[in-house]
C-alpha cells in the first residue's frame, strides 16, 4: 500500500512538473504595438513557431540582464544574439516595449533607453521571432523594416548573411558577455579574416600572412561582393572562396557558427537528445595558444593540458576573469645608464613572444651579445633567442602573443630587476605564475611579493623531498594497480596496454605535465618507424624520449619548471632512472616497492645503472 501511494505521488508530481514546465515555456508568438516584455516575469518572452528559438531577458550577471535570443532546447539556453551586450539592464522594472511609432525600445529601471531599433512606420508593426532565429519587425503589409540578422553579435545562424558591414565579435571571456577583442569580418581586400583588435594593437592572425598568401589557401581577394553564409546542411560558402562543410554534413542537427572568446571560429552542431554542442569544424592551422592577444601583455599561453595563460615570475595576473588584460610586474623597473647593472632577465624555455621586434640583430649573434644589447636598451622589454644554431636574436619593444611549446627551439628572456631573478649554478630559471585557478594549480602557483624567499640547501632538500614523496606515493599506487591488472590479464588479456598507460601516468605525475599536443610532437605524431603503430606506441615513445634526454644530459627539459630547480641534480637523475625502471614494458622486471625505496635511498646505485643500461 505504501509503495502504491509513493508511486501515485511520484506520478502526480511528475505530471505537475511537466505541466508547470509547459506553462513556463509557452511564450508569445508576437509583440504588438504598446505591449511590453518585463524582465521580472519569467513567462514574458517570444518563441518561434516551431519552438526552436526563444527571445527574452537573459541573466548575464548579478542583477544584470540582456535582451537575447537563444536555442530553446539547448542546455543552459545557448545564446545566439544580444541587443545590449555591453549595456545590461536592471533586474527590476526593465522592459522591452514596441511603441506605436514602430520603434522597439529597451528601457532600464529608471526609464533610460539602453537600446532601440530606431525604426518608424506609419502602419501597424509587430515583432516576430522566426524559425531561423531571426527577430524581425514586420509591417501589416509584411515588409521587414528591421531584423536581428543584420546586427550579429558572436554567432552566425544558417541562412544569415555576413556582408561587408557586419562583423562577428567574440565575448570577453567564458561567461563574460561583454564584447571581446576578436573579430571575424571581411577586410578591405575582400577577404574574411580573424582579427585581434585589442586596446593597444590590432592584427590579423588568420589566414596566415607570414609565409603563405591567401592564394595559398585557395582564397581570392578579387570578388568585392563580400558575402558569406552557411546553410542548414552545414555547407559554408564565401565570396572570397572560403569553403567548408560540417563534419556531420546533412539535414538534421541545429547548427551555429560562433567566434569563441578564445579567438577561434567554430561550427557547432546540437545533439537534440542531450542539448549539448559538438564542434564539427574549425579552421586548420590555427593553434589556440598562437591566437594573438590571448594572454595579454607579458602573459603567455601553454597547454596544461588545456590552453592556460601564465605570467613570468615576478608578475601577477591583472584580472582573474579576463585573460586578455595580461600580467603586471610586482616591481618598478627603472632603466637608465646607471641602473643597467641592476637589471637581469627571467628565462622561459621553449618560449616565444611573437612580433613587436625592435629590430633583428642578425644571424650568428652570440647569446651574450644579444643579452647585452637588450640590457642597455631601455626600450627593450626582453628578448627571444633561437637555439637552432643560427644565433637569431629578437629584442622586443612589447611582450605580447607569448606561447610556450615543447618543441619550440627558442628561449624568452624578460627584463626584471636583478633581485627578482632566481639563479642556480649559473642558470636563470623558468618561474611562472600559473593562471589556471583549479585547486591543484593554486597550490603550486608563485606567491605574492616581488622578492624571492627560500633558497640554499634547505630549499634543495625540501624540493627533493616533495618530488620524492610524490614519486613514492605514485609508485605505491602503481604497485597496487599492477596487482589488480594481473587479474585483469587473466580475465581479459589486456594487462599490457593498461600497464603501459599507468607507466605514462607515473611519468606525468613525477615529471613535467606533457600535453597531448606536446606528446604528439615528441612522438612524431605517435608514428612508429617500424611496424603498424598503435596506442601502445605513444607511451613507448614517451619513455624513449625521456631516456634520450638523460643521455643528452638535458633532464631539465622533462622536469616540471615549477620546481624552480630546487633539487639535487644527482638525486634527480637517480629518481628519473628509477621511474624509467618502473615503466618497463615487462611488469615482471619492474622493481617492487621495497626495492624502489632501497634504490631511492642511494644504497644500490650500481643496480640502477646496470638496469638502466639494459634498457
Amino acid at each position: 500500500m505504501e509503495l502504491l501511494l509513493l508511486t501515485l505521488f511520484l506520478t502526480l508530481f511528475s505530471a505537475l512538473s511537466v505541466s508547470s514546465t509547459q506553462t513556463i515555456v509557452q511564450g508569445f508568438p508576437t509583440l504588438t504595438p504598446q505591449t511590453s516584455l518585463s524582465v521580472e516575469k519569467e513567462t514574458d518572452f517570444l518563441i518561434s513557431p516551431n519552438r526552436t528559438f526563444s527571445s527574452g531577458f537573459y541573466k548575464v550577471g548579478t542583477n544584470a540582464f540582456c535582451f537575447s535570443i537563444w536555442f530553446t532546447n539547448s542546455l543552459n539556453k545557448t545564446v545566439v544574439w544580444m541587443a545590449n551586450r555591453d549595456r545590461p539592464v536592471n533586474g527590476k522594472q526593465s522592459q522591452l516595449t514596441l511603441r506605436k511609432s514602430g520603434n522597439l525600445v529597451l528601457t532600464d529601471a529608471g526609464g533610460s533607453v539602453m537600446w532601440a531599433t530606431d525604426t518608424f512606420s506609419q502602419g501597424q508593426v509587430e515583432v516576430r521571432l522566426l524559425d531561423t532565429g531571426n527577430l524581425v519587425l514586420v509591417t501589416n503589409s509584411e515588409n521587414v523594416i528591421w531584423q536581428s540578422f543584420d546586427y550579429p553579435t558572436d554567432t552566425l545562424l544558417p541562412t544569415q548573411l555576413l556582408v561587408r558591414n557586419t562583423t562577428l565579435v567574440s565575448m570577453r571571456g567564458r561567461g563574460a558577455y561583454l564584447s571581446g577583442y576578436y573579430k571575424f569580418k571581411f577586410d578591405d581586400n575582400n577577404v574574411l579574416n580573424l582579427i585581434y583588435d585589442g586596446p593597444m594593437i590590432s592584427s590579423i592572425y588568420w589566414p596566415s600572412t607570414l609565409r603563405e598568401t591567401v592564394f595559398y589557401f585557395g582564397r581570392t581577394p578579387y570578388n568585392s561582393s563580400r558575402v558569406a553564409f552557411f546553410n542548414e546542411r552545414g555547407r559554408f560558402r564565401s565570396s572570397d572562396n572560403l569553403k567548408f562543410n560540417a563534419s556531420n554534413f546533412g539535414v538534421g542537427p541545429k547548427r551555429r557558427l560562433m567566434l569563441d572568446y578564445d579567438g577561434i571560429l567554430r561550427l557547432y552542431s546540437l545533439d537534440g537528445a542531450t542539448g549539448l554542442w559538438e564542434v564539427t569544424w574549425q579552421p586548420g592551422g590555427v593553434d589556440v595558444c598562437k591566437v594573438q592577444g590571448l594572454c595579454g601583455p607579458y602573459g603567455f599561453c601553454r597547454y596544461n593540458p588545456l590552453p592556460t595563460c601564465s605570467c613570468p615570475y615576478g608578475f601577477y595576473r591583472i584580472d582573474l576573469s579576463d585573460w586578455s588584460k595580461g600580467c603586471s610586474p610586482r616591481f618598478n623597473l627603472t632603466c637608465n645608464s646607471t641602473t643597467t647593472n641592476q637589471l637581469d632577465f627571467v628565462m622561459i624555455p621553449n618560449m616565444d613572444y611573437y612580433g613587436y621586434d625592435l629590430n633583428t640583430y642578425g644571424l650568428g649573434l652570440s647569446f651574450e651579445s644579444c643579452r647585452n644589447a637588450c640590457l642597455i636598451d631601455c626600450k627593450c622589454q626582453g628578448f627571444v633567442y633561437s637555439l637552432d644554431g643560427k644565433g637569431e636574436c629578437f629584442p622586443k619593444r612589447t611582450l605580447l602573443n607569448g606561447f610556450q611549446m615543447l618543441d619550440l627551439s627558442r628561449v624568452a628572456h624578460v627584463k626584471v630587476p636583478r633581485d627578482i631573478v632566481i639563479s642556480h649554478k649559473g642558470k636563470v630559471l623558468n618561474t611562472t605564475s600559473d593562471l589556471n585557478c583549479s585547486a591543484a594549480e593554486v597550490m603550486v602557483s608563485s606567491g605574492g611579493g616581488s622578492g624571492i624567499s627560500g633558497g640554499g640547501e634547505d630549499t634543495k632538500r625540501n624540493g627533493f623531498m616533495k618530488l620524492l614523496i610524490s614519486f613514492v606515493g605514485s609508485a605505491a599506487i602503481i604497485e597496487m594497480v599492477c596487482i589488480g591488472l594481473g587479474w585483469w590479464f587473466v580475465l581479459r588479456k589486456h594487462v599490457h596496454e593498461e600497464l603501459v598507460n599507468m607507466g605514462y601516468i607515473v611519468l606525468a605525475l613525477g615529471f613535467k605535465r606533457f600535453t597531448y599536443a606536446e606528446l604528439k610532437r615528441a612522438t612524431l605524431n605517435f608514428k612508429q618507424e617500424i611496424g603498424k603503430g598503435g596506442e601502445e606506441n605513444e607511451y613507448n615513445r614517451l619513455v624513449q624520449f625521456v631516456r634520450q634526454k638523460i643521455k643528452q644530459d638535458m633532464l631539465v627539459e622533462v622536469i616540471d619548471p615549477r620546481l624552480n630547480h630546487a633539487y639535487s641534480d644527482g638525486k634527480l637523475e637517480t629518481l628519473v632512472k628509477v621511474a624509467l625502471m618502473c615503466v618497463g614494458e615487462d611488469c615482471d622486471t619492474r622493481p617492487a616497492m621495497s626495492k624502489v625505496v632501497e634504490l631511492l635511498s642511494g644504497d644500490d646505485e650500481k643496480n640502477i645503472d646496470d638496469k638502466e643500461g639494459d634498457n
Side-chain angles (χ1 to χ4, degrees), residues 12 114 144 192 208 269 273 282 308 339 394 443 454 456 480 574:
L12 178 61
M114 307 302 287
V144 175
L192 277 173
S208 171
S269 297
Q282 68 181 50
T308 302
T339 61
F394 304 94
M443 295 179 65
M480 288 186 290
T574 298

Side-chain angles (χ1 to χ4, degrees), residues 51-248:
R51 310 183 70 81
T52 297
F53 293 97
S54 300
S55 179
F57 288 94
Y58 185 89
K59 189 173 184 179
V60 296
T62 304
N63 196 36
F65 291 80
C66 290
F67 185 74
S68 309
I69 300 172
W70 61 84
F71 278 94
T72 307
N73 297 318
S74 64
L75 196 65
N76 299 323
K77 301 194 302 189
T78 302
V79 173
V80 298
W81 179 81
M82 281 187 170
N84 57 316
R85 68 190 302 193
D86 294 319
R87 301 183 69 190
V89 295
N90 197 289
K92 291 185 180 297
Q93 300 180 18
S94 298
Q95 58 184 13
L96 182 80
T97 304
L98 178 58
R99 294 180 176 173
K100 189 175 181 179
S101 63
N103 193 17
L104 186 63
V105 179
L106 176 65
T107 54
D108 205 351
S112 300
V113 176
M114 307 302 287
W115 173 85
T117 57
D118 295 326
T119 50
F120 174 80
S121 175
Q122 293 181 340
Q124 183 168 324
V125 177
E126 67 178 20
V127 181
R128 301 176 190 168
L129 180 60
L130 306 183
D131 288 335
T132 58
N134 191 13
L135 186 73
V136 297
L137 267 68
V138 184
T139 65
N140 51 10
S141 59
E142 294 299 311
N143 291 324
V144 175
I145 62 173
W146 181 93
Q147 59 179 351
S148 62
F149 268 18
D150 289 339
Y151 305 91
T153 47
D154 58 5
T155 301
L156 203 68
L157 293 172
T159 73
Q160 182 177 4
L161 300 181
L162 189 70
V163 295
R164 66 173 62 238
N165 295 322
T166 55
T167 303
L168 297 188
V169 181
S170 69
M171 295 191 304
R172 186 69 58 84
R174 185 188 297 274
Y177 291 92
L178 294 173
S179 296
Y181 300 125
Y182 298 105
K183 297 181 178 181
F184 181 57
K185 59 179 292 188
F186 284 98
D187 65 8
D188 292 338
N189 293 320
N190 308 315
V191 175
L192 277 173
N193 289 297
L194 289 174
I195 302 168
Y196 171 70
D197 189 10
M200 296 185 295
I201 55 98
S202 178
S203 58
I204 296 172
Y205 59 93
W206 183 85
S208 171
T209 55
L210 292 178
R211 297 180 181 176
E212 304 93 2
T213 65
V214 293
F215 300 105
Y216 176 88
F217 298 100
R219 310 273 289 276
T220 173
Y222 299 132
N223 189 332
S224 61
S225 60
R226 299 190 198 176
V227 58
F229 72 99
F230 73 103
N231 61 22
E232 293 181 348
R233 295 161 61 92
R235 183 193 303 275
F236 182 95
R237 293 295 182 266
S238 171
S239 57
D240 70 349
N241 209 33
L242 174 61
K243 302 177 182 178
F244 62 82
N245 293 336
S247 59
N248 60 348

Side-chain angles (χ1 to χ4, degrees), residues 17 30 51 122 214 216 238 307 363-364 369 415 516 526 549 599:
S17 298
T30 62
R51 310 183 70 81
Q122 293 181 340
V214 293
Y216 176 88
S238 171
L363 299 176
S369 298
K415 186 183 287 186
Y516 179 83
F526 307 135
K549 292 301 179 183
L599 295 172

